Amino acid sequence: MGIKNYFLDFCDLLIPECCSTCQSPLVTGEKCICISCLSKLDYTNFWKQEENALIDLLRVRNGCEFAFALSYFNKTGICREILHSLKYKDNEKLAIEMGKIAGFKLSEMTEVHEYDTIVPVPISVKRRRKRAYNQSEKIAIGMNYFLKMKLVPTALRRKNGVASLTRLSKEQRLRALTKVFYCPDKTLLHERSILLIDDVYTTGATANACLDIIQEGGAKKVGFACLAFNANY
């Protein structure tokens, strides 16, 4: 063990790292979130199924061939707290750690190994400056710890000046997102098998808009993976 590790261990004794959601001190082996909070997630178990509700939704819209979500989302559960922390509380480390957990489960699925490129859903330059990072890109980095694909965070761009869509209805989101995303260089997508990554699937408006752009860029096949799936929207 090096001097740096001794120093970090000493710092942990003085100021122990706490769980991002329940604020309990983390124990050895836990990173960013405790096992107790992880056990409260409503896991989808998609990695144990040949078909799932998410792929049914995406396949109808744009021919998406693969879909994955780690957990179901609801407005009062632990999943909401995790997403809020990594998205609005500058919790970059949590985004990567949750990506690793999802990536481990993803790697158990035979179909995911048919993909060669990971593309995260982008945020606008203005929002990135304010937040300092794109949560979907950090989730993708975590997933890729196990997937070992080519990560291309610049393949898609989101235009500036687009208002938040959080409070819009499904139909309003679909209309608003029609021309929000674009690909600056189609050679990044052409003849690639693209796995699109996002934090949460709610109405499907963002995922479908991005998948449409990826297909227009000449991708060979498209898939989608996220941390949370709102199956009740």
Side-chain angles (χ1 to χ4, degrees):
M1 182 181 288
I3 295 176
K4 181 179 179 181
N5 289 332
Y6 279 119
F7 176 74
L8 291 174
D9 287 343
F10 179 71
C11 289
D12 286 340
L13 289 174
L14 296 178
I15 310 174
E17 185 180 1
C18 293
C19 174
S20 298
T21 54
C22 71
Q23 303 307 310
S24 298
L26 297 177
V27 300
T28 302
E30 294 178 337
K31 293 183 179 180
C32 300
I33 186 168
C34 68
I35 292 175
S36 177
C37 285
L38 286 174
S39 70
K40 295 174 184 176
L41 281 171
D42 184 10
Y43 291 101
T44 63
N45 288 320
F46 284 175
W47 51 93
K48 298 178 181 179
Q49 305 167 12
E50 291 186 6
E51 294 288 326
N52 60 66
L54 183 52
I55 187 58
D56 289 342
L57 292 171
L58 289 167
R59 185 185 288 134
V60 170
R61 172 66 169 77
N62 52 38
C64 184
E65 298 180 41
F66 175 85
F68 167 92
L70 178 69
S71 170
Y72 289 108
F73 174 88
N74 61 68
K75 293 183 178 180
T76 58
I78 193 73
C79 186
R80 180 183 181 278
E81 294 179 39
I82 291 171
L83 291 175
H84 188 269
S85 182
L86 63 85
K87 196 168 184 176
Y88 299 113
K89 294 185 178 180
D90 299 327
N91 206 330
E92 184 176 343
K93 290 182 179 180
L94 179 61
I96 294 174
E97 186 61 26
M98 292 306 299
K100 286 183 178 180
I101 294 169
F104 177 74
K105 295 299 183 183
L106 262 170
S107 67
E108 296 180 356
M109 303 177 73
T110 304
E111 304 96 308
V112 78
H113 299 291
E114 297 174 7
Y115 293 83
D116 53 41
T117 305
I118 289 179
V119 173
V121 169
I123 57 177
S124 67
V125 173
K126 181 179 179 181
R127 183 163 295 179
R128 186 169 188 131
R129 285 173 182 164
K130 182 178 180 180
R131 193 177 294 166
Y133 69 95
N134 174 4
Q135 74 278 0
S136 295
E137 182 179 339
K138 296 303 177 181
I139 292 167
I141 289 171
M143 287 181 175
N144 211 30
Y145 183 83
F146 291 98
L147 299 180
K148 310 298 183 185
M149 299 180 191
K150 182 177 181 180
L151 175 61
V152 188
T154 58
L156 295 179
R157 289 280 188 258
R158 180 177 176 129
K159 297 176 182 177
N160 287 319
V162 180
S164 173
L165 308 177
T166 305
R167 299 182 183 278
L168 298 184
S169 68
K170 182 176 181 177
E171 291 73 20
Q172 289 172 324
R173 286 192 188 197
L174 287 169
R175 288 196 297 270
L177 285 169
T178 302
K179 297 182 179 180
V180 169
F181 300 102
Y182 66 98
C183 175
D185 182 1
K186 290 186 177 181
T187 62
L188 297 173
L189 303 174
H190 186 68
E191 287 299 308
R192 308 290 298 186
S193 295
I194 308 289
L195 186 65
L196 179 71
I197 307 297
D198 205 0
D199 53 353
V200 59
Y201 180 103
T202 306
T203 65
T206 298
N208 282 309
C210 288
L211 289 169
D212 285 346
I213 297 298
I214 291 172
Q215 288 181 320
E216 290 171 9
K220 186 163 52 177
K221 64 190 302 183
V222 294
F224 176 76
C226 60
L227 291 184
F229 171 37
N230 188 342
N232 300 313
Y233 198 92

